[in-house]
């Protein structure tokens, strides 16, 4: 199995990113990114044996709420196709995200996740992230608090 991470080409990859986003997060319509949102982020495909199986996106120097935070990498999305979840791909992607942050000189990683996303919360904790904040009414469709997690590098 060959896994690689490749920067998305925008705007050429927008349709594929939106389609992947819908496959992964479709049960949460309020979480789906618009084409404009994708273009504001640094986006990478997760590729396994030549096929796109997930994606990551980041905002550089951003805090959990989008405000300027020098040295902070905000992970906006960590997604793996549903049929491949639970097979270790999420941990490979999250480990790559941490390495990306280190290689690019960030001192902190911040990410938000739905309170009900126990698997992502557990994965983040396994890799050293700490819960630092609960933001009520963060997510819509359906409404749900966000757990804000941080990893100091």
């Amino acid at each position: 199995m060959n896994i690689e991470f490749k920067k998305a080409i925008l705007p050429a990859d927008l349709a594929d990113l939106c389609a992947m986003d819908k496959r992964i997060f479709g049960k949460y319509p309020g979480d789906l990114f618009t084409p404009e949102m994708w273009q504001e982020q640094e986006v990478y495909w997760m590729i396994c044996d030549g096929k796109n199986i997930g994606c990551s996106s980041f905002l550089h120097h951003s805090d959990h709420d989008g405000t300027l935070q020098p040295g902070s990498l905000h992970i906006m999305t960590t997604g793996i196709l549903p049929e491949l979840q639970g097979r270790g791909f999420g941990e490979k992607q999250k480990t790559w995200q941490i390495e990306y942050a280190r290689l690019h000189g960030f001192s902190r990683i911040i990410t938000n996740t739905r309170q009900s996303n126990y698997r992502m919360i557990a994965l983040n904790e396994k890799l050293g992230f700490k819960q630092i904040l609960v933001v009520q009414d963060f997510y819509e469709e359906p409404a749900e608090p966000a757990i804000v997690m941080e990893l100091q590098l």
Side-chain angles (χ1 to χ4, degrees):
M1 176 171 32
N2 180 37
I3 295 175
E4 61 182 314
F5 295 89
K6 183 178 175 187
K7 189 171 183 178
I9 300 168
L10 298 173
D13 286 343
L14 280 175
D16 290 337
L17 285 166
C18 288
M20 169 105 30
D21 196 29
K22 190 170 185 176
R23 283 186 65 194
I24 296 169
F25 299 106
K27 67 180 181 178
Y28 302 107
D31 294 4
L32 300 178
F33 292 165
T34 65
E36 294 77 21
M37 291 169 73
W38 283 114
Q39 291 187 88
E40 295 170 358
Q41 301 173 51
E42 185 91 6
V43 184
Y44 288 82
W45 291 109
M46 182 177 188
I47 303 166
C48 182
D49 296 333
K51 296 181 182 177
N52 293 341
I53 65 163
C55 62
S56 295
S57 69
F58 311 114
L59 288 177
H60 290 196
H61 306 291
S62 175
D63 209 345
H64 73 280
D65 58 2
T67 59
L68 180 65
Q69 181 66 43
S72 182
L73 180 69
H74 186 172
I75 298 173
M76 297 294 291
T77 195
T78 301
I80 302 292
L81 290 172
E83 62 269 23
L84 298 175
Q85 292 175 7
R87 297 184 186 180
F89 291 112
E91 185 169 348
K92 289 182 187 311
Q93 187 175 64
K94 187 63 68 172
T95 300
W96 175 82
Q97 291 170 343
I98 294 167
E99 188 60 26
Y100 173 96
R102 285 190 174 113
L103 288 172
H104 288 83
F106 292 98
S107 58
R108 171 184 187 246
I109 301 174
I110 196 85
T111 191
N112 310 336
T113 191
R114 284 182 172 272
Q115 189 174 42
S116 63
N117 193 346
Y118 303 112
R119 290 171 61 190
M120 183 54 72
I121 292 167
L123 175 58
N124 283 335
E125 288 175 338
K126 176 181 178 180
L127 296 174
F129 285 78
K130 306 289 183 213
Q131 295 185 32
I132 61 167
L133 186 64
V134 176
V135 180
Q136 299 298 324
D137 303 318
F138 184 87
Y139 289 103
E140 301 173 357
E141 299 181 63
E144 188 173 347
I147 303 299
V148 181
M149 302 185 81
E150 172 186 72
L151 177 65
Q152 293 287 337
L153 301 175

